[in-house]
Amino acid sequence: MNAVKSVVLSVAVLLASCTTTDNMRKVDLNKAAEKNAIMAYTYFEAGNLKLAKQKIEKAIKQDKRNALANSVYGLVQQRLGNADAADEYLSRAANLDPDEPEYAHSYATFLCDEGRVDESLVQFHKVAKNPLHRTPEAVYENAAVCAIKADRFGDAEIFVKRALAVKPNYATSRFILAELQFRSQRFGKALESVQRMEGDNQMSAEVAAMGVRSARALNRPDLAEHFVFLLQTSYPNTYQARALAN
């Protein structure tokens, strides 16, 4: 979703600076399609599927080879429960504009949502390796999250480590790694991950709770109490802090 949003915003900026002429029919239709695709996406985000569908169908009629229109139409079809149509249009968008990797990113997310994990991970990897993608660490992290949903924790760790290789201080990926380490009973590694995050001022209720769990698993009451104190003083209204009180 966020992947397409960034494309929508970029296209909107470009359209605002463009003018049309009567003898440029093809260009005009392309711009009209993109304007309607942007409007459709706005309605889509607002939850108005009826208007989103109307606008995006108009965009497709205006220019069936417009990548943005195809991508948004695929998202609308996915929300409507038409998986085959969503697959067709999201994959077409990725093929129509390979220089805009966000379309392929959206297709990878769709594949994951549909439980087609192998295809999704291949697609995520392809997107992350595309030098035109601005945040490959986010793509690798999304691949890790997809693998976790399928209980493929080994694959998840591979992808989250790739995210951290690109951006070593990427907080969400560091926390995912700590969770994976704890899940595989590498409690010492999980605790080390938490302590590094604390040292880098990346503490949160979730991180502190992981510190408590890891320290207790290692029979380290001193460290467990440290993270309990952090939860109760810095995050007293979180469910993690409330869980400790019960």
Side-chain angles (χ1 to χ4, degrees):
M1 194 73 64
N2 290 334
V4 173
K5 182 182 291 186
S6 67
V7 179
V8 168
L9 292 174
S10 297
V11 171
V13 170
L14 289 174
L15 288 175
S17 64
C18 293
T19 58
T20 60
T21 58
D22 293 337
N23 64 346
M24 297 176 67
R25 175 70 174 169
K26 184 176 180 180
V27 174
D28 286 349
L29 286 175
N30 180 269
K31 291 177 183 177
E34 290 190 337
K35 288 180 179 178
N36 278 309
I38 291 170
M39 292 179 65
Y41 189 76
T42 301
Y43 287 128
F44 176 82
E45 286 242 292
N48 193 332
L49 283 179
K50 182 177 180 180
L51 285 178
K53 185 172 182 291
Q54 290 175 359
K55 286 294 181 182
I56 201 59
E57 286 177 345
K58 185 175 181 179
I60 290 293
K61 287 181 180 179
Q62 289 167 327
D63 187 357
K64 65 182 180 180
R65 293 188 59 77
N66 182 283
L68 178 60
N70 276 272
S71 187
V72 175
Y73 194 39
L75 293 176
V76 170
Q77 290 299 322
Q78 182 184 11
R79 183 70 62 83
L80 291 171
N82 302 324
D84 289 344
D87 189 327
E88 176 184 351
Y89 286 95
L90 288 170
S91 61
R92 183 182 297 165
N95 290 328
L96 283 171
D97 191 356
D99 289 338
E100 181 46 78
E102 297 295 0
Y103 295 132
H105 194 181
S106 290
Y107 184 47
T109 302
F110 162 77
L111 291 171
C112 182
D113 291 343
E114 291 297 308
R116 296 160 60 181
V117 178
D118 286 335
E119 295 172 79
S120 177
L121 296 184
V122 168
Q123 190 75 13
F124 275 127
H125 180 70
K126 179 180 176 181
V127 174
K129 298 298 288 184
N130 188 329
L132 296 175
H133 200 286
R134 296 177 291 277
T135 55
E137 68 278 7
V139 181
Y140 282 132
E141 184 179 284
N142 288 342
V145 171
C146 179
I148 289 171
K149 289 179 181 178
D151 294 334
R152 292 172 54 167
F153 305 116
D155 288 332
E157 186 161 341
I158 289 171
F159 280 108
V160 81
K161 285 181 176 178
R162 287 175 180 169
L164 291 170
V166 176
K167 190 175 181 179
N169 290 330
Y170 197 26
T172 52
S173 286
R174 294 176 86 176
F175 179 69
I176 291 171
L177 179 60
E179 283 194 317
L180 291 168
Q181 290 165 335
F182 185 89
R183 186 186 293 272
S184 60
Q185 299 187 353
R186 289 172 289 162
F187 305 123
K189 289 291 185 181
L191 185 58
E192 288 176 11
S193 294
V194 168
Q195 289 175 314
R196 282 195 294 270
M197 294 186 75
E198 182 181 15
D200 290 338
N201 295 316
Q202 293 178 330
M203 187 55 61
S204 66
E206 293 82 3
V207 175
M210 176 61 68
V212 174
R213 294 163 60 198
S214 301
R216 286 177 173 173
L218 292 167
N219 195 25
R220 292 289 307 274
D222 54 331
L223 286 174
E225 187 58 33
H226 166 70
F227 290 112
V228 168
F229 178 78
L230 280 178
L231 271 174
Q232 293 176 337
T233 57
S234 299
Y235 314 99
N237 298 319
T238 62
Y239 76 86
Q240 291 89 351
R242 290 194 297 270
L244 287 175
N246 296 329

